[in-house]
Amino acid sequence: MVKTLHAVLSRRERQIIDILYRRGRATAAEVMEDLPGDSTYSTVRTQLRVLEEKGHIRHEQDGPRYVYLPTVGRDRAKKTALRHVLQTFFNGSAEQALSALLDESDSRLSDRELDRLAELIDRARRTGA
């Protein structure tokens, strides 16, 4: 797999990959339905084929249709994407990223979420992570 998936994909390819991660799996028609803007079925099929040739997605046959899914699991992709965001925008600092999230006025955390974060921080202190 390439260093960072989103860095090597076109905007439209990223949109398709995002749809596949959100849905888990999808046909070309389902991808086309979720894509913003106008795309023909033929164009979407071509983009899916290109993503498959690049190794980012694969297909399974479901009767007469192909169902597409990412080749990298969601958890691994999340970790890779987060690592990329940390390096790109926060100089590799989890503290800076967390601070930015907590400072964001739109993202009010519940007491339960804050307690969970405190638990994770305490566990990281104990394990030296």
Side-chain angles (χ1 to χ4, degrees):
M1 195 67 199
V2 264
K3 188 172 138 187
T4 150
L5 179 66
H6 274 57
V8 297
L9 299 177
S10 71
R11 189 184 101 235
R12 189 53 119 190
E13 289 173 334
R14 284 193 308 272
Q15 290 170 336
I16 291 170
I17 292 283
D18 291 346
I19 289 166
L20 293 176
Y21 275 117
R22 192 170 49 255
R23 284 181 169 259
R25 54 192 297 126
T27 63
E30 291 167 333
V31 169
M32 191 172 98
E33 183 181 300
D34 287 1
L35 278 172
D38 294 327
S39 286
T40 66
Y41 183 75
S42 175
T43 299
V44 171
R45 287 287 308 266
T46 298
Q47 291 167 324
L48 287 164
R49 182 182 44 75
V50 168
L51 282 167
E52 192 165 14
E53 288 171 358
K54 289 181 176 182
H56 297 300
I57 66 173
R58 64 185 177 87
H59 74 269
E60 295 175 351
Q61 191 128 14
D62 182 18
R65 61 192 187 147
Y66 283 177
V67 178
Y68 296 90
L69 51 157
T71 55
V72 174
R74 187 178 185 92
D75 287 339
R76 183 170 160 212
K78 279 193 294 191
K79 288 177 183 176
T80 300
L82 185 56
R83 218 175 7 259
H84 175 71
V85 167
L86 280 174
Q87 291 301 319
T88 302
F89 298 104
F90 301 102
N91 297 320
S93 170
E95 177 193 358
Q96 287 180 22
L98 188 54
S99 177
L101 285 171
L102 293 174
D103 286 346
E104 187 62 36
S105 62
D106 292 348
S107 61
R108 299 278 183 231
L109 297 176
S110 68
D111 287 341
R112 183 173 179 228
E113 291 169 318
L114 290 169
D115 289 342
R116 177 69 179 135
L117 287 172
E119 275 178 39
L120 293 169
I121 291 167
D122 287 343
R123 184 181 317 146
R125 277 191 181 122
R126 285 192 307 273
T127 62

